[in-house]
Amino acid sequence: MAPSLMILGVFVAFPTFQSFWYSLHDWTIGAAEQPWVGWGNYRHIAADPRFWGALLHTVEITAVSVVFIVVIGMLLATALSGEGIGSRAIRSIFFFPTVVSLTAVGLAFRFLLDPDIGLASGLAQGLGLQPIRLLSSTQWALPTIIAVSVWKSVGFAMIVLVAGIKGIPRELYEAARIDGAGSVAITRYVTIPALRPTTMFVTLMLTIQSLQIFDLVYVMTAGGPLFSTDTLVTKLIRDGFVQFKAGEAAAISWVLLLLIAIVTAIQLRYFRYNDAD
């Protein structure tokens, strides 16, 4: 127990409270002094329109991508939960993007969507259309990142939900069929309710992951064009390691931590409330 507490204290508790200490100082990397400013960094980021834009984009990415990933993952898991060679092969195809790093996925899609040399623009021009400029459009860059995020993570949701389906007692399905239930009714009244704990786990994991999205955004657009895809983490990295404003970056990290805690608590309460029903 003691070694575990020591490791937890050194690598988790101390850095956490140290970052909060930084957020209360005018901490510029390389400066000789770091004067105490109290909540000044928090007031400064609250008055920054780019902070609110980054927060909005983070919430949009999380809300839209998690809903699509869970719904598509549930449909795929229901359709591909069998033990046949075809089901296993298709599950492997959908799961493959999950094992590829976000950086590699971002670079691949940035190349594919390049308006000059990308495959997508080449096909569009071959059909007599204008070159596709999704990542340089303030209107389409964010939806494109969300679509790539869904493609990357839907295999994870599918595999976890398939494992959940395989854990449902067969007797429930046999009883439903004896009562005359069809496939849709069995899915509605047996599979989905029995999968609630698994769905809660998938939703929580995806939500926490999406709120911290960085690699994909940074590689594909670096927060652009015109900050239209900026997220809390890309702003945090830019403030801390490009502009060297470590105090404000630490304040953003605490806002993100608070946001994750609130969203997670709401989701846990929602699932527990429905379980109680």
Side-chain angles (χ1 to χ4, degrees):
M1 178 67 79
S4 300
L5 290 176
M6 185 178 297
I7 293 173
L8 187 66
V10 171
F11 293 102
V12 178
F14 177 71
T16 300
F17 286 105
Q18 189 179 36
S19 72
F20 182 66
W21 182 255
Y22 288 163
S23 74
L24 301 177
H25 290 74
D26 183 11
W27 191 284
T28 301
I29 297 177
E33 296 182 354
Q34 295 83 33
W36 169 271
V37 294
W39 300 107
N41 286 322
Y42 293 90
R43 287 194 292 269
H44 189 266
I45 62 173
D48 183 359
R50 289 179 183 171
F51 165 77
W52 292 107
L55 177 61
L56 176 62
H57 300 150
T58 302
V59 172
E60 286 178 343
I61 291 173
T62 301
V64 177
S65 65
V66 170
V67 169
F68 273 97
I69 292 170
V70 172
V71 171
I72 296 174
M74 181 72 76
L75 293 174
L76 290 174
T78 304
L80 302 173
S81 59
E83 289 299 332
I85 296 176
S87 295
R88 290 200 296 268
I90 297 174
R91 287 205 300 264
S92 299
I93 293 172
F94 278 106
F95 186 70
F96 175 73
T98 304
V99 301
V100 182
S101 76
L102 276 172
T103 303
V105 169
L107 288 172
F109 274 93
R110 183 175 175 178
F111 175 74
L112 288 172
L113 298 175
D114 188 286
D116 299 319
I117 61 173
L119 178 62
S121 283
L123 292 175
Q125 293 180 60
L127 296 173
L129 303 175
Q130 293 294 321
I132 298 175
R133 301 182 183 278
L134 295 177
L135 298 181
S136 58
S137 164
T138 55
Q139 180 181 5
W140 289 105
L142 191 65
T144 303
I145 289 174
I146 292 174
V148 175
S149 177
V150 171
W151 175 83
K152 170 75 170 65
S153 300
V154 74
F156 163 76
M158 178 198 67
I159 288 297
V160 176
L161 291 169
V162 165
I165 290 175
K166 291 183 181 300
I168 299 174
R170 297 298 97 183
E171 293 80 5
L172 293 178
Y173 289 106
E174 293 171 3
R177 291 191 183 95
I178 290 173
D179 289 340
S183 299
V184 175
I186 289 175
T187 301
R188 168 69 179 83
Y189 295 106
V190 177
T191 303
I192 293 178
L195 277 179
R196 187 166 292 157
T198 310
T199 306
M200 180 183 73
F201 168 77
V202 170
T203 303
L204 287 176
M205 294 297 293
L206 291 172
T207 300
I208 294 171
Q209 173 185 301
S210 298
L211 287 172
Q212 300 178 80
I213 187 168
F214 168 71
D215 315 51
L216 196 63
V217 176
Y218 194 79
V219 170
M220 293 183 70
T221 63
L226 299 176
F227 302 101
S228 62
T229 60
D230 208 14
T231 66
L232 285 179
V233 181
T234 57
K235 179 169 175 53
L236 184 160
I237 296 296
R238 187 171 58 251
D239 287 359
F241 298 100
V242 177
Q243 301 178 358
F244 303 116
K245 297 185 293 186
E248 290 187 17
I252 294 174
S253 73
W254 273 89
V255 172
L256 178 60
L257 176 63
L258 184 62
L259 177 63
I260 292 173
I262 292 173
V263 173
T264 302
I266 292 173
Q267 289 181 334
L268 284 173
R269 185 174 179 81
Y270 170 78
F271 279 108
R272 285 174 180 169
Y273 176 80
N274 282 278
D275 280 343
D277 289 346

